[in-house]
Amino acid sequence: MAHRVKDIAAALGAQAFGAVELLVAGASEPASAGRDDLALAMSPAYGAALGKGQARVAVVWPGADWEALGLEAAIIAPRARLAMAHLTQMLDADLPHTGISPQAAIDPSAQIGAHVTVGAFCVIGAGVVIGDGTWIADQVSIAAGVEIGAACQIHAGVRLQRGVHLGARVILQPNVAIGGDGFSFVTAEPSNVEKARETLGEAAMDAPDDPTWHRIHSLGGVVIGDDVEVGANSCIDAGTIRPTRVGHGTKIDSLVQVGHNVIVGAHCLLCAQAGVAGSTVIGDRVVVGGKAGIADNLSIGDDVVLGGGSVVLSNVPKGRVMMGYPATKMQTHIEGYKALRRLPRILRDLAKR
Amino acid sequence: MAHRVKDIAAALGAQAFGAVELLVAGASEPASAGRDDLALAMSPAYGAALGKGQARVAVVWPGADWEALGLEAAIIAPRARLAMAHLTQMLDADLPHTGISPQAAIDPSAQIGAHVTVGAFCVIGAGVVIGDGTWIADQVSIAAGVEIGAACQIHAGVRLQRGVHLGARVILQPNVAIGGDGFSFVTAEPSNVEKARETLGEAAMDAPDDPTWHRIHSLGGVVIGDDVEVGANSCIDAGTIRPTRVGHGTKIDSLVQVGHNVIVGAHCLLCAQAGVAGSTVIGDRVVVGGKAGIADNLSIGDDVVLGGGSVVLSNVPKGRVMMGYPATKMQTHIEGYKALRRLPRILRDLAKR
Amino acid sequence: MAHRVKDIAAALGAQAFGAVELLVAGASEPASAGRDDLALAMSPAYGAALGKGQARVAVVWPGADWEALGLEAAIIAPRARLAMAHLTQMLDADLPHTGISPQAAIDPSAQIGAHVTVGAFCVIGAGVVIGDGTWIADQVSIAAGVEIGAACQIHAGVRLQRGVHLGARVILQPNVAIGGDGFSFVTAEPSNVEKARETLGEAAMDAPDDPTWHRIHSLGGVVIGDDVEVGANSCIDAGTIRPTRVGHGTKIDSLVQVGHNVIVGAHCLLCAQAGVAGSTVIGDRVVVGGKAGIADNLSIGDDVVLGGGSVVLSNVPKGRVMMGYPATKMQTHIEGYKALRRLPRILRDLAKR
């Protein structure tokens, strides 16, 4: 669908200059832009590439001389990535709302709202409730009793196990698994893990008399707030006797693990391959970098930022920026790391004294 | 289903006190417990929260003054988590055994035992053997020739590729993939990886004449023992010419990778996002912490405990508790880490001498 | 299918000795080989185990005295793993090409090539193009407009979202998700992540006025080259306004994350649980070890080797071998690590001076 430059600018809360009636059909990087594309040249580095493409109109950075860049029209966006959010939303195609597939297996007791799409080969169990306008792709399985809010998007291969409640406008990417059983096992006598934690690893571990792991069943389900997104192949496990929870507006990337009983606050970001072990509580607006891990039964304060790859082994007070393994304050980590880089030379010098 | 307090205590091997004929319908945390819930207050911290809820009966810690806590009855459990295992099992609903779905695609040569459930849109290939009482959810794919023991639970979206054998009572959470091809490739001439290992990274790497990766096919399949559980979206790859193996009673969490030819012993725990690279052999009762990784072709002895996030790059003798990257004995790791924390100040002091 | 020893040797480009007309039916490790197996004894350690099995013929190492090992025939392979590639390919069963399942849901506008297999309960959207000889297992979902080359293998539960293009001979293991939306969100005002990066974590983070994460939609799709393989449960996210790309001949293991806009070159290896964050560009023939992570917006040169578990936080010039967190040149990492191991003792000695 084509949009006028002036309409795009208005939608972006940005200013338009030049031939603002021009129509654009899509967005593109400057070098590969066609004549009807809106080029995205939000920094001078990208501006230089405009000449390689054919764009007549671009989103440019504040202060850019758009006429000198050879453009017929320009949109000036003060915060480039925010403009990207609005622009890509405008240009995105609507989901194909095709109604309820006759090839889905839907229990007659399920309550399906208005304008709901359910794709082929979905399985929807007894007593499931699905809110208005929710879109469900193909081959999704939704266990008996699951509740799904309005205007959700649930992509192919998602698994919602018993006890799962989703808020409104939740987006689940392909193959997300929510409500799988928590990983919670116990031996009859104290296990080696317990002994290792108690002794800080000083004692060698022996074979216990009875190594059997007894299973703690997961009865608590999962409650997901409104406006949450979960990336492909991520897992959120069911709680033991109360729900695992993810707060409103939190965004979770691909291949992330959220363990049983975990509480994730509102407006957090959990980047790809992050993991949160059982019963840990995470505050609001926390950012967990890619591949970062948080051990079990910890408390992470509001507004904490954990660097990519860090491993958190103790509680973190609110507002702190953390890095490393084990994670410490970012400054401490950097200082230690720099010292370590100098250490080999210093040890050589010491040896000479 | 409601249970009498005295029956629960008996099932838990615990003692009941007070109004032991009371019926309870479910378990709950103390603060959110209703009148018919059994509150779980297995430590004094939880006991203090009993007043916020309505529970009349609770599981309490040894020595707790249950009457002073306002309870009508109490169960005293010496090992709280073990009691949780028994209790949650009692309270858990049975799986809905609904027989063979007419919407499943089952090869006529498959041998399906008694009291087996197969959900909608499952695909079961030629010659598959499924033991008595096994429960298979929806949208599971089971390749030709796969053998599955009795009383297994296989959740939605699980993929069992050719050459997979499961023991009895195996539980597979959603979207588990077992028997995918191993990641095994070789170049015609020594590759950069081989050169980097040989030279310990001293030589800069060059482009080889022929960078083609030739595929080593996976013919060995996977053998999973009895009482194994595998968490959501985890992968266990097929062996090359002999099976990849997971021993009896081993529990594997979500998003775990077990590479081709790996042998995992009995009664191990592999926590979330752990990874074991190809051809490594792990003993019995080994605990691999969350996100821990073990490089290929290594040997990990019995009763080893690997801390969360550690990366093992060499063999580990039995009974050792390991941490860090590269993983060392936990005491060595802690000592090194503490020294590193002190190092910046010491370097500043040295500079002043 | 049985093969003559001399034919196997010819296929491997290796030399055969002794009773080269013998037929072998499969491959096996020496100790478990039956009379009709070809034992793989490519190093003296394996040769010693030949006596435990019944093999009459084996692949042995250059210089082995095969007659002294009790064999009737032998194949001598100069590069053992390369021989394994050829041999396992020879011995592997062909995929069962069974045509188009009547239980698949295929849009009439899809263009399906000759000799294509599509399994039960697959969903193939409008305008999909599938090349000749491609094999698609059960329960695969392929969104409208996806293009798939010739002779691909797509295993059960794979999800190809809109905008995905696959080259020829691509192999996708079970539950791979390609083209899920990128993880790209922005706040109206600078977020804590931006502040933490700017200040290197020196300022404590506060609650922003508006914590809402605005979604940047993914319009760019994914382009996968020829001869690429992707392991079970791995994810490759869609680009924002241009495709995420994976080059020819690159092999990706299980549970790997490739973020939006990433460009991976040709003939790379990405080992299990590796992760590449958004917009990073990786050259050709790069090897990313298991669990290694690369931060966003970086550039990794050709022929780089990243050790398992390393975390790359800055650009890497071509040909470098890297390790650690943050990753440095392997020699620097080893030197620093060795110094750290010595440090506790040295600090104790210093304290005594």
Side-chain angles (χ1 to χ4, degrees):
Chain A
M1 202 172 65
H3 300 271
R4 269 176 221 291
V5 169
K6 68 177 183 186
D7 297 335
I8 292 174
L12 268 51
Q15 280 189 288
F17 301 86
V20 300
E21 302 286 339
L22 265 179
L23 283 166
V24 294
S28 179
E29 301 214 333
S32 54
R35 270 183 68 78
D36 297 326
D37 283 337
L38 174 64
L40 302 183
M42 288 142 168
S43 68
Y46 281 101
L50 279 166
K52 298 181 194 166
Q54 298 185 288
R56 296 177 293 164
V57 50
V59 185
V60 295
W61 62 100
D65 181 350
W66 58 271
E67 285 169 306
L69 291 167
L71 297 166
E72 297 176 30
I75 295 170
I76 295 191
R79 184 156 163 81
R81 278 170 56 79
L82 187 62
M84 283 290 279
H86 296 309
L87 185 65
T88 54
Q89 184 180 30
M90 265 184 99
L91 296 173
D92 200 358
D94 290 332
L95 286 168
H97 273 270
T98 52
I100 312 295
S101 167
Q103 289 167 293
I106 303 180
D107 190 278
S109 66
Q111 298 174 46
I112 311 235
H115 308 298
V116 166
T117 288
V118 177
F121 311 125
C122 285
V123 178
I124 298 184
V128 166
V129 178
I130 300 179
D132 293 350
T134 281
W135 181 92
I136 300 175
D138 314 304
Q139 302 169 326
V140 170
S141 27
I142 303 179
V146 167
E147 296 184 13
I148 299 175
C152 293
Q153 293 178 22
I154 302 182
H155 288 272
V158 167
R159 314 296 167 192
L160 303 179
Q161 302 286 91
R162 64 166 176 179
V164 170
H165 296 234
L166 304 183
R169 298 173 301 282
V170 170
I171 299 176
L172 305 180
Q173 299 292 336
N175 290 346
V176 163
I178 302 186
D181 291 325
F183 192 71
S184 192
F185 296 93
V186 59
T187 46
E189 302 297 324
S191 70
N192 284 339
V193 188
E194 292 168 79
K195 285 185 218 164
R197 284 193 174 190
E198 259 170 43
T199 64
L200 292 179
E202 278 181 37
M205 297 295 121
D206 293 321
D209 291 336
D210 177 5
T212 307
W213 292 104
H214 298 275
R215 186 173 205 267
I216 296 176
H217 287 238
S218 295
L219 311 176
V222 178
V223 174
I224 305 282
D226 296 336
D227 300 299
V228 169
E229 180 157 351
V230 183
N233 289 50
S234 284
C235 305
I236 304 176
D237 285 357
T240 307
I241 55 165
R242 59 169 172 77
T244 301
R245 290 179 182 279
V246 176
H248 295 313
T250 283
K251 313 298 184 186
I252 298 177
D253 199 351
S254 306
L255 294 169
V256 170
Q257 159 73 355
V258 177
H260 61 282
N261 300 335
V262 165
I263 296 176
V264 179
H267 302 294
C268 295
L269 285 192
L270 276 63
C271 299
Q273 298 174 318
V276 185
S279 301
T280 280
V281 176
I282 294 178
D284 294 335
R285 302 170 302 277
V286 170
V287 176
V288 181
K291 286 185 175 292
I294 307 176
D296 58 293
N297 287 287
L298 297 181
S299 168
I300 309 296
D302 293 341
D303 300 298
V304 163
V305 177
L306 303 178
S310 53
V311 175
V312 177
L313 299 177
S314 52
N315 294 335
V316 179
K318 70 174 183 174
R320 197 160 278 186
V321 182
M322 304 284 287
M323 253 187 114
Y325 167 37
T328 57
K329 288 170 80 166
M330 186 169 169
Q331 306 101 300
T332 309
H333 174 78
I334 291 174
E335 200 179 34
Y337 172 73
K338 284 183 179 167
L340 182 59
R341 282 287 84 83
R342 294 168 53 205
L343 185 61
R345 189 175 47 74
I346 287 162
L347 293 187
R348 281 194 295 271
D349 292 351
L350 273 177
K352 288 180 203 157
R353 283 194 191 181
Chain B
M1 201 172 64
H3 299 271
R4 270 177 222 290
V5 169
K6 68 177 182 184
D7 296 336
I8 292 175
L12 268 54
Q15 278 190 289
F17 301 87
V20 298
E21 301 287 337
L22 267 178
L23 284 166
V24 294
S28 178
E29 299 214 333
S32 54
R35 272 182 68 77
D36 296 326
D37 282 338
L38 174 65
L40 302 182
M42 287 143 167
S43 68
Y46 281 101
L50 280 166
K52 297 181 193 163
Q54 297 184 290
R56 294 178 293 165
V57 50
V59 185
V60 295
W61 63 100
D65 181 351
W66 58 273
E67 285 169 305
L69 291 166
L71 297 166
E72 295 176 31
I75 295 169
I76 295 190
R79 184 153 162 82
R81 279 171 55 79
L82 187 63
M84 284 289 279
H86 296 310
L87 185 64
T88 55
Q89 184 181 27
M90 264 183 99
L91 296 172
D92 199 358
D94 289 332
L95 286 167
H97 273 271
T98 52
I100 311 296
S101 168
Q103 289 167 293
I106 303 180
D107 190 278
S109 66
Q111 298 174 46
I112 313 238
H115 307 298
V116 165
T117 288
V118 176
F121 311 127
C122 285
V123 178
I124 298 184
V128 166
V129 177
I130 300 179
D132 293 349
T134 281
W135 180 93
I136 299 174
D138 313 304
Q139 301 168 328
V140 170
S141 28
I142 303 178
V146 167
E147 296 184 12
I148 298 175
C152 293
Q153 294 179 22
I154 300 182
H155 288 273
V158 167
R159 314 297 166 192
L160 303 179
Q161 302 287 91
R162 63 166 176 179
V164 171
H165 295 236
L166 304 184
R169 298 173 303 280
V170 170
I171 300 176
L172 304 180
Q173 298 293 335
N175 290 346
V176 163
I178 302 186
D181 290 326
F183 191 71
S184 192
F185 296 93
V186 60
T187 46
E189 300 297 323
S191 70
N192 282 339
V193 188
E194 292 167 79
K195 285 185 217 162
R197 286 191 173 190
E198 259 169 42
T199 63
L200 291 178
E202 277 181 39
M205 296 296 120
D206 292 320
D209 291 335
D210 177 3
T212 307
W213 292 104
H214 298 275
R215 185 173 206 265
I216 296 177
H217 288 238
S218 296
L219 311 177
V222 179
V223 174
I224 306 281
D226 297 335
D227 300 299
V228 168
E229 181 156 352
V230 183
N233 290 51
S234 284
C235 305
I236 304 175
D237 285 357
T240 308
I241 54 164
R242 58 167 173 80
T244 301
R245 291 180 181 276
V246 176
H248 295 314
T250 283
K251 313 298 184 184
I252 298 177
D253 201 350
S254 306
L255 294 167
V256 169
Q257 160 73 355
V258 177
H260 61 282
N261 300 339
V262 165
I263 296 176
V264 179
H267 303 293
C268 295
L269 285 191
L270 276 63
C271 298
Q273 297 173 320
V276 185
S279 300
T280 280
V281 176
I282 295 179
D284 295 335
R285 301 170 303 276
V286 169
V287 176
V288 181
K291 285 184 176 294
I294 308 176
D296 59 292
N297 287 288
L298 297 181
S299 168
I300 310 296
D302 293 341
D303 300 298
V304 163
V305 177
L306 302 178
S310 52
V311 176
V312 177
L313 300 178
S314 52
N315 294 336
V316 180
K318 71 175 182 171
R320 197 161 277 186
V321 182
M322 304 284 288
M323 255 188 113
Y325 166 35
T328 56
K329 287 170 81 167
M330 185 170 169
Q331 304 102 300
T332 309
H333 174 78
I334 291 174
E335 202 180 33
Y337 174 71
K338 284 183 179 167
L340 181 60
R341 284 288 84 81
R342 293 167 55 204
L343 185 62
R345 188 176 47 73
I346 287 163
L347 293 186
R348 281 194 296 272
D349 292 351
L350 274 178
K352 287 178 202 158
R353 284 194 191 181
Chain C
M1 203 171 66
H3 299 272
R4 269 178 222 289
V5 169
K6 67 178 183 185
D7 296 336
I8 292 175
L12 268 53
Q15 279 189 286
F17 301 87
V20 298
E21 300 287 338
L22 266 178
L23 284 166
V24 293
S28 177
E29 300 213 332
S32 53
R35 272 183 69 77
D36 296 327
D37 283 337
L38 174 65
L40 303 182
M42 287 141 169
S43 67
Y46 281 102
L50 279 166
K52 297 182 193 165
Q54 298 184 288
R56 295 178 292 167
V57 50
V59 185
V60 295
W61 62 100
D65 181 351
W66 57 273
E67 286 169 304
L69 291 166
L71 298 166
E72 296 176 30
I75 295 170
I76 295 190
R79 185 154 162 80
R81 278 171 55 80
L82 187 63
M84 283 290 280
H86 295 307
L87 185 64
T88 55
Q89 185 180 27
M90 264 185 99
L91 296 173
D92 200 359
D94 289 332
L95 286 167
H97 273 270
T98 52
I100 311 295
S101 167
Q103 288 167 293
I106 303 179
D107 191 277
S109 66
Q111 298 173 46
I112 313 236
H115 307 298
V116 165
T117 288
V118 177
F121 312 127
C122 285
V123 178
I124 298 184
V128 167
V129 177
I130 300 178
D132 293 350
T134 281
W135 181 91
I136 299 175
D138 314 303
Q139 302 169 326
V140 169
S141 26
I142 302 178
V146 167
E147 296 183 14
I148 299 174
C152 293
Q153 293 179 23
I154 302 181
H155 288 273
V158 166
R159 315 297 167 192
L160 303 179
Q161 302 286 93
R162 63 164 176 181
V164 171
H165 295 235
L166 305 184
R169 298 172 303 280
V170 170
I171 300 177
L172 305 179
Q173 298 292 335
N175 290 344
V176 162
I178 302 187
D181 291 326
F183 192 71
S184 191
F185 297 93
V186 60
T187 47
E189 301 297 324
S191 70
N192 283 338
V193 188
E194 292 168 80
K195 285 185 217 164
R197 284 191 174 192
E198 261 170 40
T199 65
L200 290 180
E202 277 182 36
M205 297 294 119
D206 292 321
D209 291 336
D210 177 4
T212 307
W213 292 104
H214 298 276
R215 185 172 206 268
I216 296 176
H217 287 238
S218 296
L219 312 177
V222 179
V223 174
I224 306 282
D226 297 336
D227 300 299
V228 168
E229 180 156 353
V230 183
N233 289 51
S234 284
C235 305
I236 303 175
D237 285 357
T240 307
I241 56 166
R242 58 167 172 79
T244 303
R245 289 179 183 278
V246 176
H248 294 313
T250 283
K251 312 298 183 184
I252 297 178
D253 200 352
S254 306
L255 294 167
V256 169
Q257 159 74 357
V258 176
H260 61 282
N261 300 337
V262 165
I263 297 175
V264 180
H267 302 294
C268 296
L269 285 191
L270 277 62
C271 299
Q273 299 174 318
V276 186
S279 299
T280 281
V281 177
I282 295 178
D284 295 335
R285 301 170 303 276
V286 170
V287 175
V288 181
K291 287 185 173 292
I294 307 175
D296 58 292
N297 287 288
L298 297 181
S299 168
I300 310 296
D302 292 342
D303 299 299
V304 163
V305 176
L306 303 178
S310 53
V311 175
V312 177
L313 300 177
S314 53
N315 294 337
V316 180
K318 70 174 183 172
R320 197 161 277 187
V321 183
M322 303 284 287
M323 254 188 114
Y325 166 36
T328 57
K329 286 170 82 166
M330 185 169 169
Q331 305 101 301
T332 310
H333 173 78
I334 291 174
E335 200 179 36
Y337 173 72
K338 283 182 180 168
L340 181 59
R341 282 288 84 81
R342 293 167 54 202
L343 184 61
R345 189 175 47 75
I346 286 162
L347 294 186
R348 279 193 298 271
D349 291 351
L350 274 177
K352 286 180 202 158
R353 285 193 190 182

